[in-house]
Each structure stands twice: as structure tokens, then as C-alpha cells.
Amino acid sequence: MIRIKKTSIQLFNEYMLSYSWEDEACPWCGSKGNCVSHGSYMRSMADFTYGKAVYGEICVLRLCCTSCGHTHAILPDVIIPYSVYGLFFILRVLAEYFLPLHTVGKLCSRFGISVSMLYRWRDLFLSHKQEWLGMLVSAETAPSAFIKGLCFLERYSISFACQFVLLSARSFLQSHRNPADYRQEFF
Ligand SMILES: [Zn+2]
């Protein structure tokens, strides 16, 4: 994952270029091939490139299932539902926090985030780490070692994100569970 040099916005746009909804399975009723476009909306997205936080926008596609009438949004897993900050952004903040590379004050100003947000991400990361590894292994695995392992995964999605979603019904570092409103795709 550390070798992925693209921003979340680039990854998102590339993913959407190759995405087609013909075979999409509805996350509400499970029927396949019955989803049609239901418009799109713009969402802000933060990335960290060339040493600073930058803000851009992504265009999120919504689909409507003609079988059950529910709608859902299509998001690849670098985008965390309900969060302006992408997965790479948060993992980078946490890696620098746990190593630790900077003081908390310096870290927050470097990334343009509040101290309370940093601690919210830290607590979420620690609880998801425990959920992922199990309590015993988690206690023996330092957060810095765990985050390092994540950063060096060859394919983040296949090896980790996909399994975390299956395990806990939400994305890694997503604060609450999916109400089936979002369908997470793996890039
Ligand atoms: Zn449906």
C-alpha cells in the first residue's frame, strides 16, 4: 500500500472509469443486474500529497434497484463512508502518530486536523485493530507494528479491507456500521 503513489481522488476516478453497474448486486435485496443509475452527488475529499493536506471533490454515483426500490452509493474502499478523509490520509496520520514522528500539536497542524479528531481516529484504530486481531493477539501487537504491516501490504483491498468488511460490516476506520446504504467495492 505504501507503494501506491496516487491520491484517493485519482484512485476513485480510475475505479469509476472502469466500473459498470450492469452486474451490480443490490445490498438491500441481493438481486443482481437490476440496478439503474439514480443520479450522482459531489462530496469533498481530503488527500495528503507533497507534504500537505489538499481538498478536492469526487462525484459519487447512486444506483436504484428496480427490484426493491432502494438506492445506494458506489464507493471504492479507499473512500470511507461518511468521512471527508480517505483511508490513506487517516493511516498516514496514525502512522506518524504511533511512530511517533511529531508531537501531537505539530502533527495536527501538519495535517490540518483538530486534536480531538486525531484522538477519535486513534481510538477507532485501536478498537478495529482489536476486532481484527482478537483481544489476545492485539494486546501483544504494538499499534506501530500493526500499522506498518498494513502499509506494507501488497494489495490492501484483497488482503485486508475486503476481509474487514466481511468481518464487521463496515470499512476499516469507519465509525459506524453500513446501513446497506453504501456498497463498498474493492479496488
Ligand atoms: Zn434491491
Side-chain angles (χ1 to χ4, degrees):
M1 184 161 48
I2 206 162
R3 273 171 238 125
I4 299 174
K5 296 295 179 214
K6 293 170 181 168
T7 64
S8 308
I9 293 178
Q10 284 169 328
L11 287 169
F12 175 84
N13 289 335
E14 277 174 22
Y15 176 82
M16 291 314 290
L17 273 179
S18 61
Y19 175 80
S20 70
W21 65 73
E22 282 78 31
D23 299 321
E24 176 74 12
C26 170
W28 295 89
C29 72
S31 76
K32 254 191 150 185
N34 292 316
C35 291
V36 293
S37 171
H38 191 64
S40 58
Y41 62 93
M42 300 305 285
R43 218 191 89 162
S44 353
M45 189 74 232
D47 267 310
F48 192 80
T49 45
Y50 300 111
K52 61 177 199 292
V54 287
Y55 292 83
E57 282 196 319
I58 55 173
C59 179
V60 179
L61 172 69
R62 282 198 80 80
L63 296 179
C64 180
C65 172
T66 54
S67 175
C68 72
H70 280 110
T71 63
H72 66 279
I74 300 297
L75 293 176
D77 61 4
V78 281
I79 312 292
I80 300 174
Y82 315 107
S83 168
V84 169
Y85 299 93
L87 182 73
F88 296 160
F89 187 102
I90 302 179
L91 283 180
R92 188 173 179 132
V93 172
L94 291 172
E96 296 196 11
Y97 170 78
F98 282 116
L99 277 176
L101 288 185
H102 309 284
T103 62
V104 165
K106 205 165 169 207
L107 193 69
C108 289
S109 70
R110 175 170 152 80
F111 286 95
I113 56 171
S114 65
V115 175
S116 62
M117 179 167 274
L118 171 67
Y119 287 146
R120 213 162 45 236
W121 287 346
R122 177 199 61 188
D123 294 346
L124 200 55
F125 173 80
L126 291 175
S127 92
H128 284 186
K129 167 177 166 279
Q130 182 167 318
E131 198 169 337
W132 178 246
L133 295 176
M135 205 183 290
L136 278 177
V137 182
S138 184
E140 290 168 356
T141 311
S144 55
F146 184 61
I147 211 161
K148 219 171 178 177
L150 284 182
C151 291
F152 283 101
L153 283 178
E154 198 57 48
R155 297 284 309 274
Y156 172 80
S157 288
I158 306 300
S159 351
F160 183 83
C162 185
Q163 291 171 51
F164 191 82
V165 173
L166 292 176
L167 181 83
S168 76
R170 70 194 135 170
S171 297
F172 191 61
L173 295 177
Q174 178 187 337
S175 52
H176 39 281
R177 278 165 207 274
N178 281 342
D181 192 28
Y182 282 101
R183 171 133 162 74
Q184 287 269 271
E185 306 279 337
F186 304 104
F187 69 93

